[in-house]
Amino acid sequence: MSLLGADFRRDFEIRRYPFILYVLIPLAALVLQSWLPRLLGPYTLFDLPLVITIYFALGRRSPIQGTLMGAAMGLFEDAMTQHAIGLSGVAMTVVGFLAASVGVRIDVENHAIRVMMNFVLSLLSSAIYIFVARYMLGLDFDWRWLAELLKAVDNALIALVFFPLLDKLQVRE
Amino acid sequence: MESFFVRYRNLVVLLVVLMAQIVGLAVQVRRTEGGRSTLDHRDSSGVRLIRYWAVALVSPPERLIHATGDGIYNLWFGYFDLRHVRQQNQQLQQTIDRLRLEQAELMEDAQQGKRLQQLLGFQEHYVYSTVAAQVYGSSGSDLSKVFFIDKGTANGLKRDMPVISPDGIVGKVREVYPHSAQVLAINDQNSGAGVILETTRIRGVLKGNAAGQLEIVGLMADERIKPGEKVLTAGGDMIFPRGLPVGTVQKVVPDPDRDSFIDVILKPAAHLNRLDEVLVITSTATQMPAQERKDVATSEKLKGAEAAAIAAKAQEQTKASEIMAEHLPSATDPSAYSGLPPQPANAAQNRVAGQGTAAGQANPAAPPVPKLLPTRHPDQFSPNQFSSPGEPAGTEAAPQGSGAPAGRKPTGAGRTR
């Protein structure tokens, strides 16, 4: 009985969106991520596809969906660079899975938790990316931890602003 | 068994997706002869297909945003903000005229250099044709310095074509799609170009670092390398033509990995973070392009006209000085204008004038030597008031020991002349 109760509660808390938004919002994130550096130049230290992946994974609370969405967004991000396809894919797959898994257990409405989740998962994404590129594949690849830290902070701030806006798009029954 | 997959389906899906990507990564990486891992220079067909899909999906909306932004920008700056355009146009026209003259002068040196190069067996490559392209997007990652341009195979672009801006080199075409292309900027970690320092003629390899800076790596420590020195393409990489601006030396830092080696950090000549339009060099040739030849001929013609104008101006100035001299007859010896040699008044004047005469003999067209009026209250600095020891009496000799040194004589002569 208690299990049924938990499942019911979880199903009740799962956010649902119009199907078209599952396509449009990630696409908009990819387009903006590619276009904004032209305007902002060297100040483009954020990762909109990652933020969107975390948002949907936290909201949907399905590790499989989080995994698949993270993989798809990561592969698209890789395809826009000259790097090997799969570097961001691996990192964002793990992030999507973890965000969805954690989302089952915590209150995802809380802004402080959202900010913390974005900050930590962004750092984790950078760490996995660098680990795979540098140590698994052995590529000659340098990075700056400060830039990765700033990127994580920026992602957290973007999430603080955009998550409430995206919340308004969900289907309420 | 079924219950295992049902129970751990989340983890199973995660592992399957991760394994598929890791296998995909392993396929893309290969070992070099030096034992280092590197990505394949050319993508496999599968990887290329994924990139093509991604670009096909992201590019159209991105280009739409770019076109809308450009439209608003052009509307504002093309119609509403036209103040000072006429003045700017005149200034630009003057700049073009000046640059044409400078170009003609430089061309003489270049042609001479080319003749010498031919003697040495070198062959100059001119930028023969270019395609102008708009930058509309980027990779979106701070770890990847690539950007996208709105020209592709339909416009004749191919892989490894150099991309430049009017300020300097920008990068090379990495991947080409039908109507767009991906350009690898020179400040990316994976880029490379042969460069040469302009004055010290030290050659090196240009790369980007993690901070997106340009650096020449692996140079032997050399104290001649100073900040501010210009860096040009060396032409040895088979990508960039020789002599294009790359940047200027910003600072010299020790190589962190090797003693007695240095890395030279450069300030790029092109604005790599704010690129709007670029030129893709689609072909080079040993012959100068027709348009450039035409420009040079125009410059040469203008240069001739400029020289004639300068000569006419000089002639007018000469006439003016002659008229002025005629109106001031007391300041000069009238005989000077009759073509007769000047008449020295005394021995000292003879000696001074003798130099002028000698000069006059050496150069028949030398200007006449004017005769100075006597000084009312002479002192040791007045003309004709010095003499060497043993000078005959009658001259206004300077006091003994205070005579002007030998080095002063030309000054007096110069003044006389």
Side-chain angles (χ1 to χ4, degrees):
Chain A
M1 187 66 192
S2 62
L3 271 177
L4 282 174
D7 282 347
F8 176 77
R9 194 174 131 259
R10 204 194 75 165
D11 288 344
F12 181 73
E13 288 175 352
I14 287 175
R15 292 156 181 238
R16 292 183 172 81
Y17 302 87
F19 177 75
I20 191 74
L21 288 184
Y22 290 111
V23 178
L24 284 184
I25 291 174
L27 181 63
L30 287 167
V31 170
L32 287 175
Q33 185 67 32
S34 175
W35 182 70
L36 282 175
R38 284 204 65 244
L39 292 182
L40 304 176
Y43 306 105
T44 317
L45 285 174
F46 52 80
D47 194 341
L48 291 177
L50 180 71
V51 173
I52 294 300
T53 300
I54 294 171
Y55 176 78
F56 279 116
L58 284 174
R60 293 293 299 170
R61 301 181 180 190
S62 163
I64 292 178
Q65 287 183 19
T67 300
L68 294 177
M69 184 160 188
M73 294 291 267
L75 290 176
F76 267 106
E77 270 200 313
D78 285 328
M80 298 299 287
T81 70
Q82 85 283 18
H83 295 161
I85 288 185
L87 284 172
S88 287
V90 169
M92 287 174 70
T93 300
V94 174
V95 166
F97 176 83
L98 287 178
S101 303
V102 174
V104 179
R105 293 171 175 81
I106 60 168
D107 176 17
V108 294
E109 302 285 345
N110 189 309
H111 292 304
I113 291 175
R114 284 175 163 183
V115 168
M116 280 304 295
M117 286 286 292
N118 270 278
F119 179 76
V120 172
L121 290 174
S122 295
L123 277 183
L124 180 69
S125 169
S126 297
I128 294 171
Y129 187 101
I130 291 161
F131 174 77
V132 174
R134 180 99 188 193
Y135 300 105
M136 280 182 71
L137 301 180
L139 296 172
D140 191 11
F141 179 78
D142 291 330
W143 74 95
R144 292 178 301 156
W145 274 117
L146 183 62
E148 302 308 320
L149 192 68
L150 286 174
K151 192 196 283 186
V153 171
D154 289 350
N155 286 346
L157 293 176
I158 288 169
L160 187 65
V161 174
F162 277 94
F163 279 17
L165 296 176
L166 293 171
D167 284 344
K168 292 180 180 175
L169 300 174
Q170 65 180 313
V171 177
R172 297 186 185 277
E173 293 171 2
Chain B
M1 194 68 181
E2 190 182 343
S3 62
F4 175 82
F5 283 112
V6 171
R7 188 173 181 185
Y8 297 105
R9 64 180 187 278
N10 292 341
L11 275 176
V12 170
V13 170
L14 174 69
L15 289 176
V16 168
V17 173
L18 283 179
M19 281 306 294
Q21 291 183 90
I22 289 168
V23 170
L25 282 170
V27 169
Q28 295 171 67
V29 176
R30 64 182 172 80
R31 287 266 175 191
T32 60
E33 289 175 0
R36 294 171 63 185
S37 299
T38 181
L39 290 176
D40 274 332
H41 181 57
R42 286 179 181 274
D43 292 332
S44 65
S45 58
V47 171
R48 196 177 141 72
L49 192 64
I50 295 172
R51 290 196 201 280
Y52 181 77
W53 285 346
V55 172
L57 189 71
V58 173
S59 282
E62 198 174 5
R63 289 172 83 153
L64 186 68
I65 295 172
H66 177 73
T68 309
D70 267 8
I72 294 167
Y73 180 88
N74 290 334
L75 189 69
W76 175 255
F77 286 100
Y79 291 95
F80 300 125
D81 192 28
L82 286 174
R83 291 174 301 166
H84 312 307
V85 167
R86 193 182 296 276
Q87 190 186 350
Q88 281 177 355
N89 191 31
Q90 285 173 350
Q91 286 174 349
L92 288 171
Q93 196 59 48
Q94 287 169 359
T95 307
I96 290 170
D97 292 345
R98 184 169 48 80
L99 289 175
R100 275 187 166 150
L101 289 170
E102 289 173 9
Q103 185 194 26
E105 287 167 9
L106 291 172
M107 276 306 297
E108 287 176 8
D109 294 341
Q111 282 166 0
Q112 187 184 7
K114 191 164 179 270
R115 284 194 294 275
L116 293 170
Q117 282 181 350
Q118 281 170 349
L119 287 174
L120 291 169
F122 284 119
Q123 210 163 29
E124 182 72 58
H125 283 272
Y126 293 98
V127 175
Y128 200 78
S129 63
T130 57
V131 172
Q134 288 263 339
V135 179
Y136 70 84
S138 71
S139 70
S141 167
D142 60 310
L143 296 171
S144 165
K145 306 288 182 193
V146 298
F147 58 87
F148 289 87
I149 55 175
D150 64 348
K151 297 289 190 304
T153 47
N155 306 96
L157 267 58
K158 291 177 186 165
R159 280 178 63 99
D160 292 336
M161 282 180 169
V163 182
I164 61 172
S165 77
D167 301 317
I169 64 167
V170 169
K172 67 171 183 176
V173 175
R174 188 188 171 276
E175 198 66 67
V176 194
Y177 308 104
H179 299 287
S180 60
Q182 190 188 49
V183 177
L184 180 68
I186 50 171
N187 60 342
D188 187 88
Q189 292 186 51
N190 296 329
S191 73
V195 294
I196 185 167
L197 276 73
E198 190 178 38
T199 51
T200 52
R201 313 307 291 173
I202 294 170
R203 286 171 182 266
V205 177
L206 181 80
K207 291 183 79 67
N209 63 18
Q213 293 175 311
L214 293 180
E215 61 180 10
I216 307 173
V217 293
L219 287 180
M220 289 291 287
D222 193 326
E223 59 187 21
R224 291 176 299 163
I225 302 172
K226 301 283 184 202
E229 183 171 1
K230 286 186 179 174
V231 179
L232 308 170
T233 52
D237 52 19
M238 307 302 287
I239 302 283
F240 295 102
R242 197 158 56 92
L244 296 176
V246 176
T248 50
V249 174
Q250 198 170 27
K251 60 181 175 181
V252 180
V253 295
D255 191 323
D257 300 326
R258 290 179 291 180
D259 290 339
S260 77
F261 280 85
I262 54 168
D263 293 340
V264 179
I265 308 291
L266 303 185
K267 183 184 176 193
H271 302 286
L272 297 174
N273 290 323
R274 294 288 170 91
L275 287 168
D276 285 324
E277 287 182 346
V278 293
L279 291 172
V280 184
I281 299 174
T282 49
S283 66
T284 56
T286 53
Q287 292 292 321
M288 196 184 288
Q291 183 60 46
E292 202 169 323
R293 282 202 298 270
K294 199 175 164 185
D295 287 345
V296 169
T298 309
S299 300
E300 290 283 0
K301 200 186 289 177
L302 282 174
K303 188 186 170 195
E306 180 84 355
I310 290 168
K313 200 173 176 182
Q315 202 173 358
E316 273 180 24
Q317 281 176 346
T318 310
K319 277 181 186 174
S321 67
E322 283 174 3
I323 291 165
M324 183 80 78
E326 281 171 11
H327 282 83
L328 297 168
S330 60
T332 55
D333 185 355
S335 63
Y337 292 102
S338 62
L340 299 171
Q343 302 296 321
N346 50 40
Q349 209 169 10
N350 248 341
R351 188 167 54 252
V352 173
Q355 293 177 10
T357 311
Q361 284 165 353
N363 181 11
V369 180
K371 179 185 175 184
L372 295 173
L373 295 173
T375 313
R376 185 166 291 178
H377 301 292
D379 59 12
Q380 60 174 324
F381 299 108
S382 303
N384 309 330
Q385 296 306 314
F386 63 90
S387 62
S388 58
E391 192 73 28
T395 60
E396 296 173 352
Q400 286 290 328
S402 65
R408 297 283 292 274
K409 284 182 183 177
T411 311
R415 195 183 298 169
T416 307
R417 230 183 278 128

